[in-house]
Amino acid sequence: MKKLTNDLWINGVGWYGLELAQFLDELPADEPGREALVNSLRDFVHALIRYQDAESGLWYQVVDKGNQSDNWLETSCTSLFVYTIAKAIKHGVVGHECADAAVKGYEGLIRTLKFDEQERVILPLICIGTSAGDYENNVTRPTSENDLHGVGAFVMACVEVQFLIK
């Protein structure tokens, strides 16, 4: 059995951020425990921004190992991260100082888009579903285009980031 590592697995991290942000949509302001979620989301967003690729605006498949030559930039969780940051700003969890990261991620996603012969949008570099594993497992995962979990996350990111780029 392979030993699991402490690498930041992008799919697990991406869905965690989305759920933190969405819980705040549902919880009343006076709900016990809300402040703990707010603090977790704030810390999470600031941690994400530290690992964003400065050139592309995207995040790597193994988030905290962007310096590894076999690691690669991934679009579905970049979409989840853009969504999470934009929602955190919308909820007042973080300030507009974090908007640059969300917008840069969004712009990076737009630059990755391709178009087929009928001018339909293709979102590439979506990791085929994964589970927790070691570094090697995560960087050798196949990619797909227009996988529904990637496209869905991209649409959600587009909806949320529109409020930052008006």
Side-chain angles (χ1 to χ4, degrees):
M1 174 184 262
K2 286 187 174 183
K3 179 183 176 235
L4 297 181
T5 64
N6 292 329
D7 299 324
L8 295 177
W9 166 54
I10 197 166
N11 284 311
V13 173
W15 291 107
Y16 172 77
L18 175 131
E19 290 303 326
L20 276 176
Q22 287 188 341
F23 277 137
L24 294 181
D25 287 340
E26 304 302 324
L27 292 176
D30 61 349
E31 180 72 29
R34 183 181 173 91
E35 191 60 30
L37 289 176
V38 166
N39 291 335
S40 292
L41 182 56
R42 180 182 305 112
D43 293 346
F44 181 76
V45 165
H46 288 293
L48 280 181
I49 291 170
R50 277 198 320 259
Y51 292 108
Q52 186 176 30
D53 180 59
E55 185 177 327
S56 69
L58 304 177
W59 278 267
Y60 281 89
Q61 171 67 1
V62 178
V63 178
D64 61 335
K65 301 285 190 289
N67 60 338
Q68 302 291 320
S69 63
D70 57 347
N71 203 354
W72 49 277
L73 296 164
E74 204 273 351
T75 57
S76 66
C77 286
T78 291
S79 296
L80 292 174
F81 295 165
V82 168
Y83 171 88
T84 299
I85 295 167
K87 281 290 257 195
I89 293 166
K90 192 176 189 181
H91 281 297
V93 171
V94 295
H96 269 76
E97 75 279 359
C98 296
D100 287 345
V103 171
K104 186 173 188 170
Y106 169 77
E107 290 170 346
L109 288 166
I110 297 301
R111 284 190 298 275
T112 69
L113 296 178
K114 299 190 260 179
F115 298 88
D116 69 11
E117 61 281 346
Q118 296 167 342
E119 294 300 311
R120 292 179 295 200
V121 175
I122 298 170
L123 180 64
L125 299 172
I126 301 168
C127 179
I128 299 287
T130 61
S131 59
D134 63 8
Y135 177 85
E136 182 69 20
N137 175 64
N138 284 303
V139 297
T140 58
R141 299 296 303 156
T143 63
S144 66
E145 296 178 335
N146 284 354
D147 181 271
L148 292 180
H149 79 268
V151 172
F154 176 70
V155 170
M156 290 172 67
C158 291
V159 168
E160 287 305 320
V161 84
Q162 74 175 325
F163 299 106
L164 301 177
I165 58 175
K166 283 186 176 181

